[in-house]
Amino acid sequence: MGVEKLVVIGQGYVGLPLAMRGVEAGFDVVGIDLDESRVKRLTSGESFVEDIPADRLGRALGTGRYHPTTEYADAAGFDVCVITVPTPLRDGTPDVSYIEQAGVSLGPHLSRGCTVILESTTYPGTTEELLRPLLETASGLQSPGEFHLGYSPERIDPGNPRWRLENTPKVVSGMDAAALRRVDGFYQRIVQRTVPVDSTRVAELAKLIENTFRQVNIALINELAVLSHELGVDVWQAIDAAATKPFGFMSFRPGPGVGGHCLPIDPCYLSWQVKRTLGRQFRFVELANDINHEMPEHVVQRIMTGLNRHGRPVNGSQLLILGLAYKKNTGDMRDSPAIEITRRLQLLGARVRAVEPYAEPHHIPDGVEVVDLTERELRAADATVVVTDHDSLDYELVVRCARYVFDARDRCRGDNVERL
Ligand SMILES: NC(=O)c1ccc[n+]([C@@H]2O[C@H](COP(=O)([O-])OP(=O)(O)OC[C@H]3O[C@@H](n4cnc5c(N)ncnc54)[C@H](O)[C@@H]3O)[C@@H](O)[C@H]2O)c1
């Protein structure tokens, strides 16, 4: 048998690492992305995903078995295709149009016995009710029977050096037993451990449970942080103390709000599906969203009060924001609370400079100058705000030189530091 052909649709945070693993596992990999500039950069060996260094991409290109492209025609004759396109919200409701487009474009290139797997995070039922009919209509083939269809949620955690694609267990599912065997067999070549489940719906729900669990627990601890501040109790120390219990407790840390395109979005896919099919509210999700959405404003209020204590109005003051990304050690600014905090402070008349070592220049908010973390910048700022605590920043320098630090991440200690 010749080299098997793997197609990965979407070459972003999820698709690119999968394509790289595919090459390393011996597949001939076609990486399809409609974004021409991304494909050009990949073709020239430039990675925009922090977890994929340029040398790893270079090695994949060097094998001659990685082909980034914008053309669906290059999918022809594939053995396995994995779809990793975005699933955002549009006006608060799931936007599955990227999955629809991918299904319609891929359909004509299906052949008997091939396997198609959806990885995009989505509501239970998407693979069976939305993707299957699109693929069947466009290909003239049936699943189950003529092609295999499955769902396997992505658990990639950008910037996490310990848990990577290959050593994180992967939940796998198929439309029938034969599809499950194919999907499972594929991922056994990609990851160390697979977790087969009975249906695509179970696999879709598993992913939403994981992210809803995080969203709700972060909201719980955020609300506690706000209340503890008013009660005059150190919430960080209380959490650390609670976390010494070896069973029945899992530690979550407060923060300036949630961002990225998982936590604020995925639970809404579930609550939307519950509302749509049962006519009921998923109350935990609604409450968690409300609380987490209020955190940027809470941070702004605390900074204003802190500046006031130092005899400065926020209007006209100079602020230094540390970390614009939504997550530490990454440059991903999608829905970052730092952007919301910056915008609100600017509206109040503050001049904002930011330290963001991972930033891509075109993602920096208007009116914000990105600077290096230096003694001079810290001394010049009326307030330094730790929003996203990248490990590469020197927090000792921050405490030593800043006039007033508002720390939303518990990274700094000192008389000039106020923690969330
Ligand atoms: N980033 C994460 O940490 C993460 C983790 C788990 C799950 N997910 C889920 O994985 C999915 C993809 O997320 P991502 O972070 O990789 O997104 P991304 O935006 O980084 O990448 C998606 C890519 O798909 C491309 N694309 C869009 N429509 C296309 C089409 N019709 N054909 C070909 N390419 C197309 C886009 O140009 C983009 O490059 C989402 O459902 C997300 O919720 C993401």
Side-chain angles (χ1 to χ4, degrees):
M1 198 167 95
V3 177
E4 281 182 77
K5 181 166 175 176
L6 167 66
V7 172
V8 181
I9 301 183
Q11 292 293 279
Y13 284 88
V14 170
L16 186 59
L18 179 65
M20 296 298 102
R21 275 298 297 155
V23 172
E24 289 154 11
F27 288 92
D28 195 24
V29 180
V30 173
I32 301 180
D33 202 298
L34 297 184
D35 183 334
E36 275 182 34
S37 70
R38 278 198 162 178
V39 170
K40 266 199 193 121
R41 286 170 72 182
L42 290 172
T43 310
S44 66
E46 192 193 329
S47 170
F48 39 79
V49 173
E50 294 85 20
D51 294 340
I52 303 297
D55 61 342
R56 190 168 173 205
L57 173 62
R59 275 198 303 279
L61 289 164
T63 62
R65 285 186 288 103
Y66 175 51
H67 319 277
T69 176
T70 54
E71 299 298 328
Y72 271 83
D74 294 334
F78 72 87
D79 298 286
V80 180
C81 174
V82 184
I83 301 174
T84 70
V85 294
T87 41
L89 289 176
R90 194 172 301 277
D91 302 327
T93 56
D95 175 6
V96 287
S97 62
Y98 297 93
I99 298 179
E100 290 172 334
Q101 281 170 19
V104 168
S105 309
L106 180 71
H109 305 291
L110 264 60
S111 53
R112 271 174 193 277
C114 75
T115 303
V116 179
I117 305 162
L118 180 63
E119 278 206 10
S120 303
T121 305
T122 183
Y123 58 83
T126 308
T127 308
E128 193 176 341
E129 290 161 13
L130 184 90
L131 185 58
R132 178 169 71 147
L134 287 173
L135 292 173
E136 286 183 339
T137 306
S139 67
L141 300 172
Q142 300 289 309
S143 171
E146 293 168 310
F147 71 96
H148 304 289
L149 180 60
Y151 181 83
S152 177
E154 184 44 64
R155 284 172 163 167
I156 217 152
D157 185 17
N160 187 334
R162 173 151 187 239
W163 295 109
R164 304 175 309 280
L165 170 61
E166 55 272 27
N167 64 354
T168 305
K170 195 114 170 59
V171 173
V172 294
S173 67
M175 292 293 303
D176 66 349
L180 177 58
R181 269 197 305 280
R182 291 297 184 101
V183 175
D184 192 35
F186 166 68
Y187 284 112
Q188 282 188 16
R189 292 176 63 179
I190 300 289
V191 300
Q192 288 163 9
R193 191 181 146 215
T194 58
V195 183
V197 296
D198 282 354
S199 70
T200 52
R201 278 186 165 74
V202 169
E204 288 158 339
L205 181 60
K207 171 71 188 180
L208 295 181
I209 292 177
E210 292 166 19
N211 282 355
T212 302
F213 177 83
R214 272 187 67 71
Q215 170 83 332
V216 167
N217 279 286
I218 290 170
L220 169 69
I221 220 73
N222 276 342
E223 188 170 39
L224 252 176
V226 172
L227 297 174
S228 303
H229 169 69
E230 288 173 32
L231 290 171
V233 184
D234 182 342
V235 73
W236 302 94
Q237 212 185 356
I239 296 167
D240 288 344
T244 59
K245 186 181 178 190
F247 50 87
F249 183 80
M250 191 179 279
S251 185
F252 285 84
R253 319 273 291 166
V258 295
H261 75 158
C262 289
L263 285 194
I265 293 171
D266 299 350
C268 300
Y269 269 66
L270 195 48
S271 57
W272 174 85
Q273 172 76 329
V274 167
K275 182 93 191 156
R276 182 175 77 136
T277 51
L278 305 178
R280 307 246 293 271
Q281 276 195 333
F282 191 169
R283 287 168 294 170
F284 264 107
V285 169
E286 317 261 325
L287 181 60
N289 286 346
D290 282 352
I291 292 170
N292 289 335
H293 281 150
E294 283 164 12
M295 290 312 288
E297 177 57 22
H298 175 74
V299 168
V300 169
Q301 291 297 328
R302 295 277 298 273
I303 295 167
M304 276 170 65
T305 312
L307 282 168
N308 190 46
R309 263 199 316 278
H310 288 78
R312 294 285 302 174
V314 67
N315 192 353
S317 63
Q318 184 165 321
L319 307 182
L320 185 64
I321 303 277
L322 305 188
L324 289 172
Y326 85 90
K327 189 166 196 255
K328 74 175 186 171
N329 305 335
T330 82
D332 192 345
M333 289 189 216
R334 289 176 291 186
D335 284 314
S336 172
I339 307 293
E340 181 65 12
I341 290 168
T342 301
R343 195 184 61 84
R344 287 173 185 247
L345 289 168
Q346 284 174 321
L347 282 173
L348 292 168
R351 285 172 291 127
V352 180
R353 291 154 88 87
V355 175
E356 180 42 81
Y358 300 97
E360 292 194 22
H362 56 281
H363 285 142
I364 304 297
D366 287 346
V368 175
E369 190 181 342
V370 172
V371 295
D372 289 334
L373 183 61
T374 62
E375 186 172 334
R376 192 190 156 106
E377 288 294 341
L378 288 162
R379 292 199 192 284
D382 296 299
T384 297
V385 186
V386 183
V387 180
T388 302
D389 55 331
H390 296 306
D391 290 331
S392 59
L393 299 183
D394 182 349
Y395 297 98
E396 277 175 25
L397 182 76
V398 172
V399 175
R400 202 167 64 243
C401 302
R403 281 188 237 168
Y404 158 58
V405 182
F406 184 80
D407 180 3
R409 299 288 185 175
D410 191 29
R411 276 306 275 255
C412 301
R413 292 290 153 88
D415 293 341
N416 55 345
V417 178
E418 180 188 349
R419 287 178 299 158
L420 179 69

